[in-house]
Amino acid sequence: MISDTNKRIYAMGDVYPNFSKLPKGEYNLQLYLRHDNVQYLEKLKQLVLFIERNLEEKVCMPCFSSLNCEV
């Protein structure tokens, strides 16, 4: 479920991907997982979520040749 800071819901879904166009602003994403076996859910505590989105304009980012970088 995706909602804004005023708790207005913009999108809701299930396991199937769905496209949602959102106006500029800050949003909250809530993900609920259910399963009969609690052990499966315990393994998902460190779940990583990937959000893919297209940028409207180019973004310049510095690149370093090593991990010892000073900004």
Side-chain angles (χ1 to χ4, degrees):
M1 179 169 48
I2 301 173
S3 59
D4 64 9
T5 53
N6 295 322
K7 299 187 179 181
R8 178 179 174 204
I9 296 173
Y10 281 87
M12 203 177 255
D14 53 19
V15 298
Y16 301 105
N18 191 11
F19 177 79
S20 297
K21 186 164 180 136
L22 304 171
K24 289 184 180 181
E26 293 186 18
Y27 296 93
N28 296 313
L29 175 67
Q30 293 180 342
L31 175 66
Y32 297 100
L33 298 173
R34 298 183 342 172
H35 198 280
D36 293 335
N37 189 337
V38 178
Q39 292 176 348
Y40 290 145
L41 297 173
E42 289 291 331
K43 292 179 183 179
L44 295 173
K45 279 190 173 183
Q46 300 299 321
L47 178 70
V48 176
L49 176 68
F50 290 96
I51 298 176
E52 182 178 334
R53 71 177 261 219
N54 296 324
L55 298 176
E56 292 181 12
E57 55 188 58
K58 292 182 181 179
V59 177
C60 294
M61 299 181 71
C63 295
F64 302 97
S65 59
S66 69
L67 295 177
N68 296 329
C69 56
E70 294 182 20
V71 179

